[in-house]
């Protein structure tokens, strides 16, 4: 791949190859699960071989994708055509009006992302084609109290910002996970506590930078959400 990741915020000039999309089957996955996946994929061959032909003119029902928030890609569907524009609703809830050129570009991006999942990550076609948002967390886990891995004091002093967003989880592990496989490289970043540059694994570097952006953007951490949930619970109890 010619894609490169340039961590410009480090001012280090470091460049590394973008990570690969991979399919992971957690330990304990049974042969029956594999058979079920093959059946699903077989069914998908019948249902989803009529994937949108991106050479056709955009129309209601065509699937699209849009790059947002930097490198994040959200998938959606065209829900309305009016005059020379098209309205699409995306999985993050946003509604975007696009010109015919933008709609065609969005359809091509969906096809590209679909191919990555099916070809590179071996994801069943039906799953790769779906734009539905599924909550994989079971009902018991949804009712469980949030458990940040760091204490409130540790969150104030840590440089490992990614851990601020990490929680303990006891729910069921899905049969198939799709993730990113990072190169086995280390990147340099400055540590205030060590007062010098340190080297950390590439995957940790990416998570740390993402966490920093979330914090700078005002995204609530699990602890902040926990405190909010506690406050709402007390308010409900008090009537």
């Amino acid at each position: 791949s010619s894609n490169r990741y340039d961590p410009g915020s480090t001012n280090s000039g470091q460049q590394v190859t973008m990570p690969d999309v991979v399919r992971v089957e957690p330990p304990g996955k049974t042969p029956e699960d594999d058979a079920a996946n093959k059946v699903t994929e077989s069914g998908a061959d019948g249902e989803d071989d009529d994937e949108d032909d991106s050479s056709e003119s955009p129309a209601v029902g065509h699937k699209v994708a849009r790059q947002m928030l930097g490198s994040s890609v959200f998938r959606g569907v065209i829900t309305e055509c009016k005059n020379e524009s098209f309205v699409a609703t995306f999985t993050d809830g946003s509604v975007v009006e696009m010109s015919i050129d933008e709609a065609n570009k969005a359809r091509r991006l969906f096809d590209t992302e679909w191919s990555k999942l099916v070809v590179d990550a071996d994801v069943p076609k039906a799953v790769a084609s779906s734009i539905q948002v599924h909550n994989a967390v079971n009902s018991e886990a949804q009712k469980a109290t949030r458990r940040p891995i760091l204490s409130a004091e540790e969150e104030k002093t840590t440089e490992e910002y990614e851990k601020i967003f990490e929680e303990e989880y006891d729910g069921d592990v899905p049969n198939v996970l799709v993730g990113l496989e990072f190169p086995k490289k280390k990147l340099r970043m400055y540590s205030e506590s060590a007062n010098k540059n340190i080297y950390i694994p590439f995957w940790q570097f990416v998570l740390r930078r993402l966490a920093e952006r979330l914090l700078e953007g005002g995204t609530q951490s699990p602890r902040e959400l926990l405190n909010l949930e506690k406050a709402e619970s007390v308010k409900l109890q008090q009537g």
Side-chain angles (χ1 to χ4, degrees), residues 34-50:
D34 286 327
N37 278 333
K38 290 179 181 177
V39 170
T40 301
E41 188 165 0
S42 174
D45 289 338
E47 297 174 5
D48 290 292
D49 277 343
D50 59 343

Side-chain angles (χ1 to χ4, degrees), residues 13-212:
Q14 302 171 98
Q15 284 190 332
V16 291
T17 303
M18 286 293 289
D20 294 323
V21 177
V22 295
R23 169 178 170 171
V24 180
E25 296 180 358
K29 190 172 181 294
T30 65
E32 288 77 8
D33 294 325
D34 286 327
N37 278 333
K38 290 179 181 177
V39 170
T40 301
E41 188 165 0
S42 174
D45 289 338
E47 297 174 5
D48 290 292
D49 277 343
D50 59 343
E51 282 298 311
D52 299 341
D53 183 353
S54 55
S55 64
E56 298 178 355
S57 298
V60 172
H62 283 175
K63 295 171 184 175
V64 291
R66 180 179 172 88
Q67 189 165 319
M68 304 179 190
L69 304 176
S71 60
S72 299
V73 175
F74 291 92
R75 289 141 59 101
V77 62
I78 295 177
T79 55
E80 183 182 354
C81 298
K82 51 182 184 179
N83 298 326
E84 296 298 318
S85 64
F86 303 85
V87 178
T89 301
F90 292 87
T91 52
D92 67 332
S94 62
V95 177
V96 179
E97 185 171 344
M98 300 178 287
S99 66
I100 187 169
D101 289 339
E102 291 171 330
N104 281 325
K105 181 179 179 181
R107 293 178 64 207
R108 288 194 296 270
L109 180 57
F110 182 91
D111 290 345
T112 299
E113 295 299 311
W114 182 87
S115 296
K116 287 179 183 178
L117 291 173
V118 173
V119 178
D120 298 339
D122 196 25
V123 172
K125 291 181 179 179
V127 177
S129 300
S130 175
I131 59 170
Q132 300 298 317
V133 178
H134 300 283
N135 190 344
V137 181
N138 61 33
S139 58
E140 292 302 318
Q142 287 179 319
K143 297 175 184 177
T145 302
R146 295 179 183 274
R147 291 180 294 167
I149 66 168
L150 297 181
S151 68
E153 289 303 315
E154 288 173 328
E155 289 186 5
K156 295 177 182 178
T157 59
T158 185
E159 287 185 339
E160 298 178 279
Y161 304 113
E162 67 279 8
K163 290 187 176 181
I164 294 176
F165 293 93
E166 190 172 342
E167 301 178 62
E168 294 184 29
Y169 174 70
D170 295 328
D172 295 333
V173 177
N175 288 334
V176 176
L177 304 172
V178 175
L180 299 176
E181 182 178 34
F182 292 95
K184 291 183 178 180
K185 296 181 178 181
K186 292 188 176 183
L187 293 184
R188 183 178 67 248
M189 70 182 308
Y190 183 75
S191 168
E192 292 185 2
S193 61
N195 195 27
K196 64 178 182 180
N197 287 323
I198 60 174
Y199 287 85
I200 60 176
F202 180 38
W203 64 265
Q204 189 175 22
F205 177 90
V206 172
L207 288 180
R208 190 159 303 176
R209 286 304 186 205
L210 288 174
E212 286 179 339

